[in-house]
Amino acid sequence: METQNTEARITAATRKLVTSLRTARGRRENSLFVAEGQRCVFEILPFFHCRWLIATDAWFQTNIKMLPPGVKVLKARPDEMERMSSMQTPQGILAVFEIPEGHGGNRNIPAPRPGSLILALDHLQDPGNLGTIIRVADWFGIRQIWASSDTVDIYNPKVVQSTMGGLARVKIHYCDLPETLAEATKNSIPVYGTFLDGEDIYTTPLSPAGIIVMGNEGNGISPAVEPLCNRRIKIPSFPAGATKVESLNVSTATAITVAEFRRRTAQ
């Protein structure tokens, strides 16, 4: 039997809790994270348990019929939404979701499936970059990402917003990245690293399965991870020799790299 949505006014204590989820500590202590904006909330809603869906009266008047049964609804004034929101222009709706036990943790990292591509992120710090990379992985059918333990938190509100729902379909595992990659190389899994002195990605052979390492925004792949990359590749600039920017944004480079892997290995 379906349960009806319950409605109530948000309390000061709940508002304070939601605001605390902007920090990694707040999310960790409460095992909760926030998704903002109608599209992001409804993409995630089928995959994570929703503690509360919080919105303005104006949003509910127009959209209440969109909600599936059983969602606990809290109504908030526009000024309360602004205080809870991490967006410059709040959209009148946010949801608080429970973080599943072990999700995004460093336990039980599954071995690569035969024929699968995995992304490995080495010390990424920008939430927008991580969110975009998760979205890229979702688009190109990459279902597993390994991230160094010092990579930005996947439940950071800006990460969640940037994924556009990809967080629901791509599993991120934080780990000791050098150790995890070393284990992969023992099993003869190709580990591709992006370097300025690598082989041209458009002409070098690419395997349909393996691990693609993307490095930090400013420093690239770390000295601890670099020796574990047994395939060095690069995205060439055009035309050769012309004056240009020093490097590509890491999320842009990830999209180009993964697209080329998929294009080449699909043929």
Side-chain angles (χ1 to χ4, degrees):
M1 180 177 178
E2 292 185 341
T3 57
Q4 296 300 310
N5 299 318
T6 58
E7 297 182 18
R9 270 290 157 192
I10 192 168
T11 64
T14 300
R15 189 176 66 240
K16 184 177 180 181
L17 172 59
V18 174
T19 303
S20 76
L21 301 180
R22 294 180 187 175
T23 68
R25 179 178 178 179
R27 294 188 293 273
R28 184 172 58 251
E29 290 180 349
N30 295 285
S31 296
L32 298 171
F33 73 97
V34 174
E36 292 195 60
Q38 182 169 303
R39 182 174 177 183
C40 186
V41 167
F42 278 86
E43 284 273 2
I44 293 175
L45 202 54
F47 300 97
F48 291 85
H49 185 266
C50 182
R51 178 76 61 88
W52 304 294
L53 189 142
I54 306 168
T56 61
D57 285 309
W59 186 90
F60 282 120
Q61 287 172 10
T62 306
N63 301 287
I64 189 65
K65 292 181 180 179
M66 296 173 59
L67 291 178
V71 175
K72 185 172 182 179
V73 168
L74 297 179
K75 293 184 177 180
R77 299 188 310 268
D79 64 295
E80 291 175 317
M81 293 296 295
E82 287 181 11
R83 275 182 266 173
M84 291 182 288
S85 176
S86 60
M87 299 175 70
Q88 270 193 321
T89 307
Q91 297 181 21
I93 176 176
L94 62 81
V96 177
F97 292 98
E98 296 179 2
I99 298 174
E101 186 177 355
H103 195 272
N106 57 4
R107 294 173 295 175
N108 303 320
I109 298 175
R113 291 179 300 173
S116 67
L117 272 179
I118 292 174
L119 281 172
L121 308 180
D122 186 12
H123 188 53
L124 259 69
Q125 294 298 289
D126 184 85
N129 281 335
L130 178 56
T132 301
I133 287 171
I134 294 172
R135 189 174 175 182
V136 167
D138 187 28
W139 182 261
F140 285 105
I142 293 176
R143 296 296 170 229
Q144 192 177 159
I145 293 177
W146 296 347
S148 61
S149 56
D150 53 6
T151 289
V152 63
D153 177 21
I154 59 169
Y155 295 111
N156 179 297
K158 292 183 179 178
V159 175
V160 176
Q161 184 68 26
S162 299
T163 68
M164 295 303 290
L167 184 63
R169 292 173 291 273
V170 180
K171 301 300 181 186
I172 295 88
H173 302 278
Y174 287 86
C175 61
D176 181 321
L177 193 57
E179 181 181 296
T180 306
L181 291 174
E183 190 64 31
T185 59
K186 288 180 185 177
N187 295 319
S188 302
I189 296 172
V191 178
Y192 293 86
T194 50
F195 299 94
L196 293 176
D197 64 350
E199 296 294 322
D200 187 333
I201 191 172
Y202 298 117
T203 57
T204 195
L206 302 176
S207 65
I211 301 163
I212 303 170
V213 181
M214 305 303 297
N216 172 265
E217 289 88 348
N219 301 313
I221 293 174
S222 66
V225 169
E226 181 175 353
L228 299 166
C229 299
N230 48 35
R231 309 281 194 281
R232 298 172 70 94
I233 56 175
K234 71 175 179 181
I235 301 168
S237 58
F238 291 91
T243 302
K244 58 187 71 68
V245 297
E246 184 179 336
S247 62
L248 289 170
N249 170 279
V250 65
S251 57
T252 301
T254 302
I256 293 170
T257 301
V258 173
E260 180 63 11
F261 267 81
R262 290 307 198 205
R263 184 189 73 84
R264 296 268 298 282
T265 58
Q267 294 175 354

